[in-house]
Amino acid sequence: MDQGSHCTEGELVEAVNRITAFSTTSSSDKEENQPKAEISCQVRKENPEKDDLQDPNATLSPHSSMTTKELQDYWRNEKRQCRQVKLLFEIPSARIVEHHFSKYVMYKIIILQTGSFDSNKSVIERRYSDFEKLHRNLLEEFSEEMEDTAFPKKSLTGNFTEEIINERKLAFKDYLRLLYSMKDIRRSKKFIDFLTRPELQEGYGCLRGGQYTKALEILLEVIGLQERLMRNNPVSVVPTLCAIVVCHKDLDNPASAFEYGEKALSRLGVQSNHRYYMPLLETMIRLAYELGKDFLSLQEKLEEWKTKKDPVRVFTLKELAVREYVQ
């Protein structure tokens, strides 16, 4: 973990000691001159990007009623807020696949968020040809940025030896790390598609086939990665969230469907022109009614939307979902 991206333990202890000292001040002293403490975490970064960072400054006005444990918990939470959120790429292993008359190597890619536990990791597999296609596509759009980016060359022989596979594991790890370090590339559709599209295609394929349990398993895995990759564009994850709503609904899990529907609505915000807005509202109203929740505010939004729009045929949420990622 980047030691410059969060408060040090020394700073935390010093802050707690200072505030604890304040809490032991007599009441008369407080009335005459009540102290206030401000301790801030400074995030050091090589390439400052406003939308990639959370607010690194935290201010606390201490109260005498707070215990030492409460203060420690507070500063532990503040440290988490100060962390710079980035993704790390690891390629710990690879496997040789023989399918009919073809043979290739699948590289296991683990994507971790800095400052997170293993529960937040995403695991995908890609083969050499997938990396090669990504490289070609990025060169078309980012030729200048990619000018000095090395890519492991294909060998005529020896592609399945342990030595070559280990070399490529390291090379692909460095390659992904370098691509992610470039803002325009990591936000590009081509880079994000490389990391998410195969799994999304599989998940939506299961949904269309009525395999809702399998579809849900895949989509829940990929939505976490999508949200970490597209923090600057939260609306882009709405289709996947809505597909998860459809799966939960068809699996008779209305509470979980409503939970993910709320997430989708929050990502949409005020973008009532989005194709998912009205179908999602209709689904949420039905779910709220089924769960005994207040749906009047949702109904008001739906009526407001209808008064602004010409009467046109609108797909249901499920109809929209099954149309995503159709080959």
Side-chain angles (χ1 to χ4, degrees):
M1 184 183 301
D2 185 0
Q3 296 299 321
S5 64
H6 55 80
C7 301
T8 65
E9 293 298 329
E11 291 171 332
L12 176 61
V13 173
E14 181 183 359
V16 171
N17 289 338
R18 288 165 57 187
I19 297 175
T20 305
F22 292 152
S23 67
T24 59
T25 305
S26 66
S27 58
S28 59
D29 290 337
K30 292 175 190 172
E31 291 174 357
E32 293 177 4
N33 185 21
Q34 184 175 9
K36 293 183 179 180
E38 290 187 359
I39 299 93
S40 61
C41 301
Q42 300 298 329
V43 179
R44 297 200 301 268
K45 46 193 182 293
E46 297 178 358
N47 298 308
E49 294 175 24
K50 187 182 297 182
D51 54 357
D52 280 351
L53 298 175
Q54 298 179 0
D55 183 3
N57 297 319
T59 302
L60 170 66
S61 295
H63 300 281
S64 59
S65 60
M66 293 181 70
T67 66
T68 301
K69 182 179 184 304
E70 289 173 335
L71 291 169
Q72 290 173 335
D73 290 341
Y74 176 89
W75 285 106
R76 191 176 294 111
N77 290 332
E78 289 302 314
K79 286 177 66 180
R80 281 196 286 267
Q81 293 297 320
C82 291
R83 287 180 182 139
Q84 185 177 7
V85 178
K86 293 292 182 182
L87 297 184
L88 304 174
F89 298 87
E90 299 289 341
I91 304 182
S93 61
R95 62 187 179 95
I96 299 174
V97 178
E98 295 189 56
H99 183 68
H100 297 305
F101 299 104
S102 63
K103 185 178 180 181
Y104 52 88
V105 179
M106 292 292 287
Y107 295 90
K108 181 179 181 179
I109 306 169
I110 297 178
I111 305 163
L112 296 162
Q113 181 173 304
T114 55
S116 297
F117 296 105
D118 286 345
S119 59
N120 289 326
K121 71 181 179 183
S122 298
V123 181
I124 60 176
E125 284 189 317
R126 297 294 182 266
R127 53 190 292 187
Y128 180 94
S129 60
D130 296 324
F131 281 97
E132 192 176 38
K133 181 180 178 181
L134 170 67
H135 191 68
R136 288 198 309 269
N137 290 339
L138 290 177
L139 282 175
E140 293 175 358
E141 187 176 354
F142 304 101
S143 56
E144 293 186 7
E145 292 89 336
M146 300 281 292
E147 186 176 4
D148 298 323
T149 303
F151 187 82
K153 296 180 180 180
K154 183 178 290 187
S155 304
L156 295 177
T157 59
N159 289 304
F160 303 105
T161 64
E162 184 177 354
E163 181 181 1
I164 293 296
I165 291 174
N166 287 335
E167 287 179 1
R168 287 182 176 172
K169 280 163 48 180
L170 294 174
F172 285 142
K173 173 184 173 180
D174 292 339
Y175 179 72
L176 290 173
R177 183 187 302 169
L178 180 60
L179 294 182
Y180 185 79
S181 70
M182 294 182 272
K183 183 177 69 173
D184 290 339
I185 290 180
R186 74 167 172 263
R187 293 181 176 179
S188 69
K189 185 177 184 300
K190 293 175 180 178
F191 181 69
I192 293 171
D193 278 353
F194 168 79
L195 295 172
T196 61
R197 190 176 182 89
E199 286 72 26
L200 286 170
Q201 286 177 328
E202 183 183 2
Y204 277 97
C206 292
L207 190 156
R208 282 189 292 272
Q211 298 175 289
Y212 301 116
T213 301
K214 181 64 175 177
L216 187 59
E217 178 186 340
I218 297 169
L219 294 173
L220 287 174
E221 177 72 22
V222 77
I223 187 63
L225 179 56
Q226 275 188 303
E227 290 192 316
R228 294 196 291 274
L229 286 168
M230 298 181 278
R231 292 191 307 273
N232 64 304
N233 184 20
V235 177
S236 59
V237 304
V238 167
T240 308
L241 287 171
C242 288
I244 292 173
V245 171
V246 170
C247 289
H248 274 306
K249 188 172 181 297
D250 283 1
L251 289 169
D252 294 324
N253 300 326
S256 296
F258 191 84
E259 175 189 348
Y260 280 91
E262 285 186 315
K263 291 181 181 181
L265 282 176
S266 70
R267 304 300 189 275
L268 282 174
V270 296
Q271 298 195 33
S272 59
N273 290 326
H274 196 282
R275 69 187 189 280
Y276 273 88
Y277 185 78
M278 190 253 198
L280 179 58
L281 277 179
E282 289 183 328
T283 299
M284 290 295 285
I285 291 170
R286 288 193 291 270
L287 288 169
Y289 180 80
E290 182 180 352
L291 293 167
K293 295 179 178 290
D294 180 18
F295 58 86
L296 291 180
S297 60
L298 296 170
Q299 186 70 48
E300 289 173 0
K301 290 180 180 180
L302 182 61
E303 295 302 324
E304 182 182 357
W305 184 90
K306 288 181 177 178
T307 60
K308 295 179 180 179
K309 300 292 180 182
D310 295 329
V312 293
R313 182 181 185 276
V314 177
F315 293 114
T316 66
L317 197 68
K318 187 172 184 177
E319 287 173 336
L320 280 177
V322 298
R323 282 168 169 76
E324 296 284 351
Y325 295 93
V326 176
Q327 294 287 354

